Amino acid sequence: MRLLLIIVSAVLINNFVLVQFLGICPFLGVTRKVETAIGMGAAVIFVMTLASAITYVVQYAILEKFNIPFLQTIAFILVIAALVQFVELVLKKTSPSLYQALGVYLPLITTNCAVLGVAILNINYNYNFIESVIFGAAAAAGFTLALILFACIRERIEYSPIPKALEGFPIALISAALMSIAFMGFSGLI
Amino acid sequence: MLDSILISILWLGGLGLIFGAVLAYAAKKFEVPVDPKIQQIKDLLPGANCGACGYAGCDDLARAINSGEAKASVCSAMSGDKLAEISKLTGVNSGDAQKKKAVVMCSGVGDLSKRKFKYHGIENCREAMIVMQGDKVCEFGCMGYGTCVKACPSNAIKIDHKSGQVKVDESKCTGCGICEKACPKKIIKLIPADQKVQVFCKSIRKGKESKEICSASCIGCGICEKQCKFDAIKMVDNLPVIDFEKCTNCGACTEKCPTKAIRKI
């Protein structure tokens, strides 16, 4: 039951992008096409789930045990950076077209605050290992959901009569704001 | 105290080493063979990543050249011998290069040219244009708020703070043309890099009108046209137009110009 609550909370109520405003950069950057949004989402799900697991181990097996918790930020960033590099290598080999489409946003997952955010929130919420991994995956799923929804909207906007002054990013930012307001409607769910 | 420092260093270093080893192994395992030619072409490109060719940086252009999708001559910052080397590499004639440079075609800077009002706003020509089409009386005049300076990817444009003259450093200018697009007054133009003589005015006003508002303006007298022995200068709309094909950069026209609007760079 607790796990289910974590999932619902991470995907909808505390959606990383639309409610907590983490990971805005790829949210605007790779949502021009649904295809790239899905690819980015998949990469983030992979990175965030693994990062949650590894940072959990790093936190409790190393940092707490040896009384060096002040190294949390740098150690976590090290883990995330290595993971992203790994994902990049794998993607380059297995799916060059996706690698091309994601472009600079893939290495940028390294500095994506959503990934570091999920790692630190896991520790702050005192989750155990299973909960951390579930929270990481769910948060990434929420991120992906937001990305895909937004990409769908932007693809439609592309073919809609938009006032000249609002074309491109302005209308994208306005629709992002409206989506954010819509997601706030979930806040009473739990 | 010393312990915690040591432990920190050891663990963080150890973690780094482990991840490094894993990545090194993964890099070997998932290695994608890259055409070495792409790297060679990339080394010959200027590496400014200005994007003027229409590709996302020099890397992307190198890939496009290698696949035959683009010709190396789309790069406006290329010198002739580098082009020839790329042609040799790819086996395709890359086309002829004509290196260009940017010039700011206005001399009426600072106090030389009259202003309609004092502009106290954002230091940006495009913003200044919103207020009554700019603060210069002459609508062809450089306002000097440095939009081109900020736009230039290779830091080649400088504003001389004393005179207000906008100067292009020829040694740095790659001829990408980004400043040409950035200038709201359209007074920046790309000319062949070896061209020395240039008209530094865009005003098509008649002589008397021009003289009233700007002391550095071309007055359309046509002396330069008469001075030119090679028939390279034609007067069009009260402005001399230089035919770069015919111009020999002798400078005869610059000597007699009463306002020094035509001069050597």
Side-chain angles (χ1 to χ4, degrees):
Chain A
M1 192 59 204
R2 190 171 148 79
L3 290 182
L4 194 68
L5 278 184
I6 288 177
I7 294 174
V8 174
S9 155
V11 174
L12 296 176
I13 299 156
N14 291 316
N15 186 293
F16 262 46
V17 177
L18 294 170
V19 180
Q20 306 207 37
F21 308 126
L22 292 167
I24 298 293
C25 169
F27 179 62
L28 289 169
V30 291
T31 47
R32 239 165 260 230
K33 271 197 239 141
V34 176
E35 205 178 300
T36 52
I38 293 173
M40 182 73 179
V44 168
I45 289 179
F46 181 76
V47 170
M48 264 163 103
T49 314
L50 265 183
S52 307
I54 299 180
T55 51
Y56 182 88
V57 175
V58 168
Q59 172 76 17
Y60 290 105
I62 298 173
L63 299 182
E64 300 264 293
K65 205 167 183 183
F66 293 95
N67 205 19
I68 43 172
F70 54 85
L71 287 179
Q72 194 190 49
T73 313
I74 191 166
F76 283 11
I77 285 182
L78 190 66
V79 171
I80 293 164
L83 261 176
V84 172
Q85 283 292 311
F86 184 73
V87 173
E88 203 181 336
L89 284 169
V90 175
L91 264 188
K92 206 172 175 181
K93 175 85 177 174
T94 53
S95 170
S97 56
L98 182 59
Y99 177 79
Q100 276 282 323
L102 290 178
V104 72
Y105 291 98
L106 190 58
L108 273 182
I109 301 180
T110 318
T111 48
N112 190 338
C113 46
V115 186
L116 185 63
V118 84
I120 289 178
L121 282 179
N122 275 332
I123 310 301
N124 284 358
Y125 291 161
N126 283 322
Y127 285 151
N128 63 30
F129 184 73
I130 304 287
E131 286 168 343
S132 293
V133 175
I134 295 289
F135 181 69
F143 177 87
T144 313
L145 176 74
L147 244 69
I148 293 174
L149 287 177
F150 193 49
C152 293
I153 292 174
R154 276 181 84 174
E155 277 194 352
R156 287 196 161 211
I157 285 175
E158 198 85 347
Y159 298 107
S160 311
I162 305 290
K164 188 108 184 92
L166 292 178
E167 268 171 18
F169 266 108
I171 194 73
L173 288 170
I174 290 170
S175 22
L178 291 175
M179 276 180 80
S180 177
I181 292 171
F183 263 68
M184 281 180 182
F186 287 119
S187 61
L189 209 57
I190 294 182
Chain B
M1 180 62 201
L2 196 66
D3 269 11
S4 68
I5 295 177
L6 254 178
I7 291 173
S8 308
I9 293 174
L10 282 180
W11 271 114
L12 213 55
L15 275 178
L17 264 181
I18 296 168
F19 290 138
V22 171
L23 280 181
Y25 176 73
K28 263 270 162 311
K29 177 114 190 169
F30 293 102
E31 198 180 6
V32 182
V34 182
D35 195 338
K37 256 194 209 162
I38 294 181
Q39 185 60 38
Q40 280 171 318
I41 295 172
K42 200 190 121 196
D43 290 342
L44 287 168
L45 291 174
N49 289 318
C50 64
C53 54
Y55 289 91
C58 294
D59 278 12
D60 204 23
L61 178 62
R63 185 196 52 72
I65 291 174
N66 190 51
S67 63
E69 190 183 314
K71 275 190 168 180
S73 52
V74 294
C75 178
S76 48
M78 281 273 259
S79 63
D81 44 330
K82 291 236 168 119
L83 258 185
E85 273 185 63
I86 290 183
S87 306
K88 231 190 266 169
L89 267 175
T90 55
V92 183
N93 185 11
S94 306
D96 286 327
Q98 198 190 29
K99 199 169 173 337
K100 297 201 164 180
K101 66 180 172 190
V103 282
V104 184
M105 298 171 53
C106 177
S107 339
V109 291
D111 301 329
L112 297 173
S113 175
K114 281 185 188 160
R115 298 204 182 233
K116 292 180 217 166
F117 53 87
K118 251 194 167 152
Y119 174 72
H120 289 288
I122 303 170
E123 281 259 321
N124 183 321
C125 306
R126 288 178 174 256
E127 302 289 340
M129 278 293 274
I130 295 170
V131 191
M132 290 173 68
Q133 295 291 297
D135 57 353
K136 280 255 174 138
V137 178
C138 173
E139 55 269 63
F140 311 99
C142 169
M143 297 182 287
Y145 294 117
T147 296
C148 51
V149 177
K150 284 175 209 124
C152 180
S154 36
N155 279 333
I157 310 180
K158 292 260 148 30
I159 295 185
D160 188 317
H161 281 289
K162 231 186 227 163
S163 67
Q165 180 76 46
V166 181
K167 281 187 177 144
V168 181
D169 185 341
E170 278 183 47
S171 58
K172 286 185 187 163
C173 178
T174 60
C176 66
I178 287 174
C179 51
E180 194 182 16
K181 292 188 195 98
C183 178
K185 294 248 186 177
K186 305 275 171 247
I187 47 179
I188 301 184
K189 209 178 126 194
L190 289 180
I191 61 168
D194 50 6
Q195 179 67 25
K196 291 276 181 309
V197 178
Q198 179 58 34
V199 187
F200 286 89
C201 185
K202 284 275 266 185
S203 168
I204 55 169
R205 284 196 174 82
K206 289 211 174 93
K208 195 168 165 249
E209 275 178 70
S210 264
K211 230 175 173 174
E212 272 165 16
I213 56 174
C214 176
S215 58
S217 158
C218 168
I219 51 172
C221 60
I223 291 179
C224 48
E225 186 182 13
K226 284 172 206 126
Q227 290 293 321
C228 185
K229 296 186 194 79
F230 307 97
D231 202 24
I233 300 180
K234 284 266 157 344
M235 294 300 290
V236 179
D237 290 338
N238 297 321
L239 266 182
V241 175
I242 302 176
D243 185 340
F244 299 131
E245 303 259 296
K246 289 180 185 162
C247 176
T248 59
N249 290 313
C250 65
C253 48
T254 62
E255 280 155 28
K256 289 278 162 69
C257 177
T259 58
K260 297 287 166 224
I262 186 166
R263 60 174 184 265
K264 287 199 170 186
I265 298 170

